[in-house]
Amino acid sequence: IFFWERTKNSQDRRDSISKIKKKITEFEAELNNENQKNKSLTYRRTYSFLQELLLPKITLRSNDLDKQPIQENSPFPDITAIQQTLQKLGFFKAQVSRQFDENTRKAVEQFQHLRNLKTVGYVDSQTWDAMQSELTKKQLQKTVEVLRIILQTQNDEQIEENIRKLQDCKQNAFRYLNCVENLRAKIQASKANK
């Protein structure tokens, strides 16, 4: 996306913006297609590119969740990450407590049940992968929506500045969606003021 660093003249920039708009439109159409096997190569490449460039990564301290799942007595940073992820997905309504308590267990079980996973009440690798996948999709949908708004901006410098702001949202995985939403609101407000 940072074609400005390679592109010097305004016509090349406009051509690049047009290409990105087209790719985002095609990508967004496929994003809502649930059939993973029918995803195009362009979609998969764009997905990987956006994920790497703009989306935050959440890592757990536990390396092998099948041998050591996240449950009671797990490291509190892992429990916090699980609770915050479940909050973003709408399953954990309680305050993040750093304890794998009854609320956490119930939220994990509800997620597992609704996603047709083995309902065990702790987070194994299959559950964590499903949680990550769902959160990434949610983040990606919001990101693509904001990218489309950014690319509708007339000024190349504004586009570059807003894409950099979008990339800055990546710094905090659990505030990412709020950051992206705030950026969208600011861009739309500045458009309305013109």
Side-chain angles (χ1 to χ4, degrees):
I1 286 181
F2 295 108
F3 51 84
W4 295 270
E5 294 163 6
R6 296 187 308 267
T7 305
K8 299 297 179 204
N9 72 51
S10 61
Q11 182 58 46
D12 287 345
R13 286 183 181 196
R14 282 191 296 277
D15 291 345
S16 294
I17 290 169
S18 293
K19 287 177 187 175
I20 290 173
K21 285 179 181 178
K22 183 180 178 199
K23 281 195 177 288
I24 292 297
T25 300
E26 292 170 355
F27 178 77
E28 194 170 33
E30 284 193 63
L31 181 63
N32 297 317
N33 177 3
E34 294 297 323
N35 188 349
Q36 292 293 336
K37 293 179 182 173
N38 291 336
K39 303 285 187 191
S40 71
L41 181 58
T42 300
Y43 171 87
R44 292 191 306 271
R45 285 182 178 161
T46 306
Y47 181 95
S48 295
F49 175 74
L50 291 173
Q51 188 174 24
E52 181 66 30
L53 183 67
L54 298 172
L55 298 185
K57 292 181 182 167
I58 303 168
T59 55
L60 300 176
R61 288 185 177 186
S62 302
N63 293 331
D64 189 349
L65 293 178
D66 290 323
K67 289 183 182 174
Q68 292 229 311
I70 306 301
Q71 56 189 348
E72 286 183 51
N73 302 320
S74 291
F76 75 83
D78 287 354
I79 294 170
T80 301
I82 298 300
Q83 289 175 337
Q84 289 176 321
T85 301
L86 287 166
Q87 267 185 341
K88 292 297 178 191
L89 296 176
F91 289 91
F92 189 72
K93 308 290 188 223
Q95 187 172 350
V96 173
S97 66
R98 300 168 51 168
Q99 301 291 320
F100 201 97
D101 55 13
E102 187 67 17
N103 290 327
T104 307
R105 186 186 59 73
K106 285 180 179 180
V108 169
E109 287 176 348
Q110 182 184 18
F111 178 84
Q112 290 168 330
H113 176 74
L114 291 174
R115 300 305 177 264
N116 296 316
L117 301 170
K118 187 176 177 184
T119 305
V120 292
Y122 54 78
V123 179
D124 56 11
S125 62
Q126 189 177 22
T127 302
W128 180 242
D129 290 347
M131 289 169 65
Q132 285 288 86
S133 177
E134 194 165 320
L135 183 60
T136 297
K137 183 175 179 181
K138 189 173 185 176
Q139 291 170 332
L140 200 53
Q141 286 171 326
K142 210 38 117 173
T143 301
V144 169
E145 175 186 316
V146 172
L147 267 175
R148 186 177 327 115
I149 294 167
I150 289 171
L151 293 171
Q152 292 170 351
T153 306
Q154 298 298 316
N155 181 313
D156 289 348
E157 288 76 27
Q158 288 174 322
I159 293 172
E160 181 178 6
E161 178 186 337
N162 286 323
I163 289 176
R164 289 189 192 282
K165 286 179 182 176
L166 183 59
Q167 191 177 34
D168 288 344
C169 289
K170 182 179 180 177
Q171 302 307 314
N172 186 318
F174 298 110
R175 293 193 179 118
Y176 181 81
L177 291 171
N178 293 341
C179 180
V180 171
E181 186 58 35
N182 289 339
L183 179 59
R184 182 190 64 74
K186 286 177 186 174
I187 294 168
Q188 288 180 324
S190 71
K191 280 183 168 183
N193 291 334
K194 290 184 179 181

